[in-house]
Amino acid sequence: MRKLNFSNILPYLVAIIIFILIATIYFSPVLEGKKLKPNDVTNFKGMSKEIVDFREKTGEEPLWTNSMFGGMPAYQISTEYNGNLMRYVDYIFRLGLPYPIWIVFLYMIGFYILLLVLRVNPWLAITGAIAFGFSSYFFIIIEAGHNSKAHAIGYMAPVVAGFILTYRRKYLLGGLMTLLFLALELKSGHPQITYYLMLALLLFGITELVSAIREKNYLPFIKSSAVLIIAILLAVLTNITSLWATWEYGKYTIRGKTELSTEKENRTSGLDKDYATQWSYGIDETLTLLIPDAKGGASGVIGKNESVLKGVDSRFKEYVATSANRYWGNQPFTSGPVYAGAIVMFLFFLGLFTVKGKLKWWILAATILSIMLSWGKNFMPLTEFFLDYFPGYNKFRAVSMILVIAELMIPILAVLALLQILDDPKSFTKKLKIFGYPVNPFYLAFGLTGGLALLFALFPGAFFNFLSDQEIQSIASQQQSDPTYGKQLAEFFANVEIARKNIFKADAIRSFIYILLAAGVIFAFAKNKLKKEYAIGLVTLLILIDMWSVDKRYLNNDSFVRKSKTEEPFKMTKADQFILKDKDPDFRVLNLTVDPFADASTSYFHKSIGGYHGAKLRRYQELYDHQLKNKMNMAVLNMLNTKYIIQPDNNKQPTVMPNTQACGNAWFIEDIKWVKNADEELAALSDFDPEKIAVIDEQFKPDLEGFTPTNDSTALIKLISYAPNHLKYQVNTHNDQLAVFSEIYYPKGWNAYVDGKLTPHIRVDYVLRAMVIPAGKHLVEFKFEPKVYYIGEKISLASSLLVLLLVLGYFVYEIKRYFASTKEE
């Protein structure tokens, strides 16, 4: 039997230890018991409070919450899919590390696996893993609390590794690797990142197809593709509950198609174009890949930094420091730039000129596509093509997020370029012809990165404008309307430009220095002045120092707080205390002391009219846009059972205004107003009495055939039991009545019962539920029973169990084969 050689596994153990140590040192406050308090995590606690409380109390998943936007499915907020056994595999990959250490560890170990598949030296693969894992955006999203996004990014690289192995005709290993890591990728719960990854892998498949056509060897391509299709399908089945629920729910959200006919030029079958492209990377902002603060860095004031304010007129220094925005790009705001690393970019360009083979062309194509799509509204021909014709693309907002693909591709080629020089120092002297002239690729790559960085530092004004488009428009507008003030404003912004140039120049020189140092190490190695091990170590150290220091600008020790501060995300006000004395089990609150539709604090204590979520129901969003946003339609607030309105007083303290006109939980109407379409239905709410009239689309006429509303002053309907997924009403009426329920209509899961008998219900008043209740005393119930969850969980359990058995079986087989391959000597 063959003995296990410890020296063979030593590099891999060392890599794991290094990744853990680096991540732990970076997040050392965690060892002191401190925690991150990112804004989105705080919002998550607000939006998920009702769900979490119900889960802890009953041990069940509510699958619905009434704490936001009147009511919505909980699929995209907080739902545990216990049928998916891949969660146990995910825990294994985390190694029991605390958050957010395990996130960064996952970044690095995933990319390390990919580089090993690409046959990169295990020691050099550590360099690449660090280069990928410390990309600035990956740390910025941790600081923001975008945990599912970070989680999904961690599994991107090993999914790519699986694809590469499969197309190398390692069908079993490649297929299983793809299956395992894609299942984990999907489980992380960020469809947008997964979608972008699949776009990149589609390009990879195209390059393999082109290669098969050129070589006229189709069978391996067909076999590999078939294996991958099976792996993808099984990975999808493993996560079928969440994916199916998201797909089903998505059609009814702002990411689905509207029924309104207005603003057709801005509409897609998903998100509106202006909403989808609101966060578009500027074309010149792409320079942040090389120079981190090429656009000033994160949004926020410039600050009282003497080196930044050098040259600013003393009359404006204070104002520039305390009121001018450091960021001058055209995104609404940003938490920081996408910085791939100066050294990594230098090596990437070197790889473009030196690395051979189809892999390079795939990397280049995926990188270019990623960058161009990130420009969004700044490059609308391509963006509109994808929004209008590419399936699923218009379901996602913040198009700049697709730069994660560039951040994945760039370090791959960078490491391959470094590998080529380290394995073949003579390649350093090989030249290529450009326009007939022989050029050394090393110097060319240095010139295109370090040389440009130096040129930008020396002559910044010759290449860039240091004002945003909005600022330029503001100056021009003021100069026309008020020349005196316009002149002062122009002078102020001229001084702002000086400060911003200083920011830009400092980082441009910084990038130049790091590239120069790394190039010097490589040059010394190529000239036999430095050993290979030292070269790898020095380049790794330079990359780490470069990217670490940039990441610390956006996620540092100040981002951590004592654990006690994270346990109570929102402080209860006197207004909250007053409302919570009301023991009515179900009513809504409108909080005007915050932006109602960008707030989760209200949801932490109450059932809110507003909320904070990127996938709210489209009809509810349209109701807000047309009836509540610019004019507070009290009839609509009343039908939504808005019992309390929180508003600021003269001292900006929240006070409570009870709304005595709120319609309550349910009521009987006297008349029906039929409308032909969604436009008429929404318009009819502008002037109606919700307690007397129900506005109903004609599509529901068959459901009310033979029914005529009658006035019964003695009829009673009362909510007697509340749970987010189960409502009980006691009813007593002498005639058949149409009851309107102040609950949000959602057809995929809500079932109505009268005395235990399933009974149809319809949509009224654009967003509410209604049903005909027969005369007499009855128990009426609404239960949220989505088939997608209960069927999906069974499929997910069976599929994930199969995946685990396949992976485990493969490992057992390989271990046995390893020890049985030779006899013990």
Side-chain angles (χ1 to χ4, degrees):
M1 298 291 291
R2 178 183 294 180
K3 292 182 179 179
L4 191 63
N5 190 338
F6 180 75
S7 63
N8 290 338
I9 63 172
L10 180 61
Y12 313 111
L13 292 176
V14 170
I16 292 172
I17 293 169
I18 288 174
F19 298 154
I20 293 173
L21 283 175
I22 291 174
T24 303
I25 293 170
Y26 192 98
F27 296 116
S28 58
V30 172
L31 304 180
E32 303 169 19
K34 293 183 178 181
K35 287 192 171 184
L36 281 173
K37 193 180 180 181
N39 186 54
D40 273 24
V41 170
T42 302
N43 283 322
F44 167 76
K45 289 186 177 181
M47 67 178 78
S48 65
K49 183 68 162 57
E50 183 182 41
I51 302 166
V52 173
D53 288 350
F54 182 86
R55 183 187 297 136
E56 291 178 352
K57 181 180 178 181
T58 66
E60 301 175 7
E61 288 296 317
L63 307 176
W64 182 273
T65 179
N66 289 301
S67 67
M68 289 205 305
F69 306 117
M72 62 185 290
Y75 307 139
Q76 301 299 311
I77 303 171
S78 175
T79 297
E80 293 183 355
Y81 300 101
N82 294 319
N84 190 349
L85 301 178
M86 297 308 295
R87 65 184 185 278
Y88 298 113
V89 181
D90 187 37
Y91 294 149
I92 292 172
F93 276 103
R94 298 184 193 186
L95 297 182
L97 297 169
Y99 174 85
I101 293 173
W102 68 261
I103 288 280
V104 176
F105 173 78
L106 205 60
Y107 290 161
M108 291 188 284
I109 196 66
F111 199 79
Y112 186 75
I113 291 170
L114 170 58
L115 292 180
L116 294 179
V117 167
L118 290 172
R119 303 187 182 100
V120 174
N121 178 298
W123 300 106
L124 181 58
I126 295 174
T127 309
I130 292 171
F132 170 77
F134 275 78
S135 185
S136 67
Y137 181 72
F138 300 164
F139 279 71
I140 288 167
I141 60 176
I142 293 174
E143 194 279 334
H146 299 171
N147 295 339
S148 61
K149 187 191 300 182
H151 200 171
I153 288 170
Y155 284 120
M156 287 196 307
V159 174
V160 174
F163 264 66
I164 291 172
L165 274 177
T166 307
Y167 278 111
R168 279 186 186 164
R169 307 182 191 182
K170 302 284 186 180
Y171 302 120
L172 184 57
L173 178 58
L176 286 175
M177 182 177 282
T178 302
L179 170 57
L180 175 67
F181 287 110
L182 183 56
L184 291 167
E185 165 75 27
L186 292 169
K187 186 207 162 290
S188 64
H190 203 283
Q192 188 167 357
I193 293 296
T194 305
Y195 183 91
Y196 292 153
L197 174 62
M198 297 315 289
L199 271 182
L201 291 174
L202 177 63
L203 283 176
F204 183 80
I206 292 172
T207 62
E208 290 293 329
L209 175 60
V210 170
S211 177
I213 293 172
R214 293 179 64 182
E215 296 172 4
K216 297 182 179 180
N217 189 11
Y218 305 105
L219 188 58
F221 173 80
I222 294 171
K223 284 182 178 180
S224 298
S225 301
V227 169
L228 288 171
I229 289 171
I230 293 170
I232 292 169
L233 289 175
L234 194 49
V236 167
L237 289 175
T238 299
N239 293 274
I240 192 63
T241 316
S242 60
L243 294 174
W244 188 5
T246 299
W247 173 80
E248 181 182 81
Y249 172 54
K251 292 183 289 185
Y252 296 90
T253 71
I254 57 174
R255 295 162 193 263
K257 191 175 182 179
T258 182
E259 295 180 52
L260 297 177
S261 60
T262 56
E263 300 179 12
K264 287 185 178 180
E265 70 282 355
N266 189 43
R267 300 287 190 187
T268 71
S269 60
L271 292 170
D272 295 345
K273 291 177 182 178
D274 56 0
Y275 184 71
T277 61
Q278 190 175 14
W279 264 266
S280 298
Y281 226 59
I283 294 176
D284 59 345
E285 197 167 357
T286 308
L287 190 60
T288 64
L289 291 168
L290 175 67
I291 301 171
D293 280 4
K295 283 290 181 177
S299 298
V301 296
I302 287 176
K304 296 182 179 181
N305 185 313
E306 285 304 317
S307 63
V308 172
L309 297 174
K310 185 178 179 181
V312 174
D313 191 317
S314 58
R315 294 174 301 159
F316 293 96
K317 267 192 178 181
E318 182 71 20
Y319 198 38
V320 168
T322 58
S323 65
N325 194 345
R326 183 182 181 94
Y327 171 70
W328 65 88
N330 290 313
Q331 297 184 80
F333 62 86
T334 180
S335 297
V338 177
Y339 178 58
I343 298 169
V344 179
M345 288 299 295
F346 160 61
L347 293 172
F348 170 75
F349 274 92
L350 180 60
L352 289 178
F353 304 128
T354 59
V355 174
K356 306 297 181 183
K358 58 188 176 184
L359 189 67
K360 178 183 75 174
W361 298 112
W362 165 62
I363 290 171
L364 179 60
T367 302
I368 291 174
L369 181 65
S370 170
I371 290 172
M372 293 174 71
L373 285 174
S374 77
W375 294 339
K377 63 185 177 184
N378 301 308
F379 194 54
M380 279 306 286
L382 180 65
T383 299
E384 282 191 322
F385 174 79
F386 270 77
L387 286 172
D388 292 337
Y389 301 110
F390 219 86
Y393 188 79
N394 56 29
K395 307 299 181 186
F396 306 115
R397 67 189 293 256
V399 294
S400 58
M401 195 187 304
I402 199 172
L403 283 172
V404 297
I405 299 303
E407 292 173 280
L408 173 65
M409 296 294 139
I410 289 169
I412 296 175
L413 191 56
V415 172
L416 293 179
L418 190 56
L419 174 67
Q420 183 164 301
I421 286 182
L422 292 173
D423 284 351
D424 181 17
K426 292 181 180 179
S427 64
F428 179 84
T429 58
K430 291 180 181 178
K431 296 183 178 181
L432 53 87
K433 284 192 176 182
I434 297 181
F435 301 116
Y437 296 96
V439 179
N440 187 311
F442 180 84
Y443 299 130
L444 180 59
F446 181 83
L448 289 173
T449 53
L452 279 178
L454 181 60
L455 193 62
F456 293 154
L458 295 175
F459 309 103
F463 300 96
F464 303 105
N465 190 333
F466 291 87
L467 296 177
S468 68
D469 291 345
Q470 294 88 338
E471 290 167 343
I472 294 171
Q473 291 169 8
S474 176
I475 294 170
S477 175
Q478 288 298 329
Q479 286 177 333
Q480 283 186 344
S481 61
D482 186 347
T484 301
Y485 178 70
K487 182 179 179 181
Q488 293 174 344
L489 190 65
E491 193 175 0
F492 164 70
F493 273 113
N495 281 275
V496 171
E497 283 190 273
I498 293 172
R500 288 174 174 172
K501 282 181 182 179
N502 291 335
I503 293 170
F504 176 79
K505 286 193 292 185
D507 261 13
I509 291 172
R510 178 188 183 281
S511 291
F512 168 73
I513 291 172
Y514 275 109
I515 293 170
L516 182 65
L517 291 173
V521 170
I522 296 170
F523 186 89
F525 166 76
K527 297 298 182 181
N528 295 317
K529 302 295 184 181
L530 194 65
K531 289 185 177 181
K532 182 177 182 179
E533 297 78 16
Y534 296 150
I536 293 175
L538 286 172
V539 171
T540 304
L541 185 62
L542 286 170
I543 289 174
L544 180 59
I545 294 172
D546 170 25
M547 305 188 76
W548 179 296
S549 58
V550 171
D551 293 340
K552 281 291 183 179
R553 298 177 183 179
Y554 311 106
L555 175 54
N556 49 52
N557 291 3
D558 293 337
S559 306
F560 290 82
V561 295
R562 292 191 304 274
K563 184 179 179 181
S564 58
K565 289 190 175 182
T566 66
E567 292 175 347
E568 188 181 354
F570 304 103
K571 288 185 178 181
M572 187 182 296
T573 66
K574 290 183 179 179
D576 295 322
Q577 292 172 354
F578 178 85
I579 295 171
L580 290 171
K581 291 178 182 177
D582 191 329
K583 300 307 177 186
D584 185 337
D586 190 19
F587 58 85
R588 296 189 183 92
V589 174
L590 173 63
N591 189 353
L592 296 177
T593 66
V594 295
D595 181 349
F597 262 50
D599 162 69
S601 63
T602 310
S603 301
Y604 191 77
F605 300 107
H606 316 290
K607 298 175 182 70
S608 177
I609 288 292
Y612 179 84
H613 202 274
K616 43 192 171 285
L617 289 165
R618 178 174 277 280
R619 275 185 167 261
Y620 197 86
Q621 177 69 52
E622 292 166 347
L623 181 74
Y624 171 76
D625 289 340
H626 291 81
Q627 298 294 345
L628 298 174
K629 187 176 182 179
N630 298 318
K631 56 176 181 178
M632 199 60 67
N633 186 338
M634 287 306 299
V636 170
L637 289 179
N638 292 339
M639 79 181 198
L640 292 173
N641 194 19
T642 311
K643 198 172 181 181
Y644 296 99
I645 299 174
I646 303 175
Q647 52 190 6
D649 63 10
N650 292 333
N651 297 318
K652 296 185 178 180
Q653 295 298 315
T655 59
V656 179
M657 183 180 77
N659 178 24
T660 58
Q661 302 302 311
C663 295
N665 305 118
W667 58 94
F668 297 118
I669 56 95
E670 301 174 8
D671 198 6
I672 295 173
K673 181 175 183 178
W674 293 101
V675 292
K676 295 180 179 179
N677 51 46
D679 296 282
E680 290 187 10
E681 187 179 2
L682 190 55
L685 303 184
S686 297
D687 183 22
F688 88 123
D689 183 347
E691 287 190 297
K692 294 181 179 180
I693 297 173
V695 180
I696 309 178
D697 193 302
E698 289 182 352
Q699 66 178 290
F700 293 106
K701 266 190 175 180
D703 297 276
L704 298 182
E705 188 174 358
F707 170 79
T708 302
T710 58
N711 184 16
D712 182 356
S713 60
T714 64
L716 295 173
I717 182 168
K718 181 182 179 182
L719 179 68
I720 59 173
S721 176
Y722 170 83
N725 59 355
H726 190 182
L727 305 164
K728 295 181 181 180
Y729 301 84
Q730 190 177 62
V731 180
N732 189 358
T733 174
H734 293 98
N735 305 307
D736 292 357
Q737 295 286 336
L738 182 64
V740 175
F741 300 87
S742 186
E743 301 295 336
I744 303 302
Y745 179 84
Y746 180 67
K748 297 297 183 178
W750 277 109
N751 293 320
Y753 299 86
V754 177
D755 298 328
K757 181 181 178 182
L758 184 64
T759 306
H761 71 285
I762 63 171
R763 187 191 69 236
V764 302
D765 299 342
Y766 208 71
V767 297
L768 299 184
R769 306 174 205 163
M771 65 184 296
V772 174
I773 300 176
K777 294 183 179 180
H778 302 286
L779 175 67
V780 174
E781 297 175 90
F782 275 99
K783 299 179 182 180
F784 193 53
E785 303 168 315
K787 293 180 181 179
V788 63
Y789 181 81
Y790 298 107
I791 296 174
E793 282 294 82
K794 294 176 183 177
I795 298 173
S796 178
L797 177 62
S799 301
S800 58
L801 180 59
L802 177 59
V803 172
L804 292 178
L805 290 174
L806 286 172
V807 173
L808 184 62
Y810 177 81
F811 273 106
V812 171
Y813 167 76
E814 284 295 319
I815 290 170
K816 286 183 176 179
R817 194 166 71 95
Y818 177 84
F819 285 107
S821 60
T822 59
K823 292 182 178 180
E824 185 176 2
E825 294 182 0

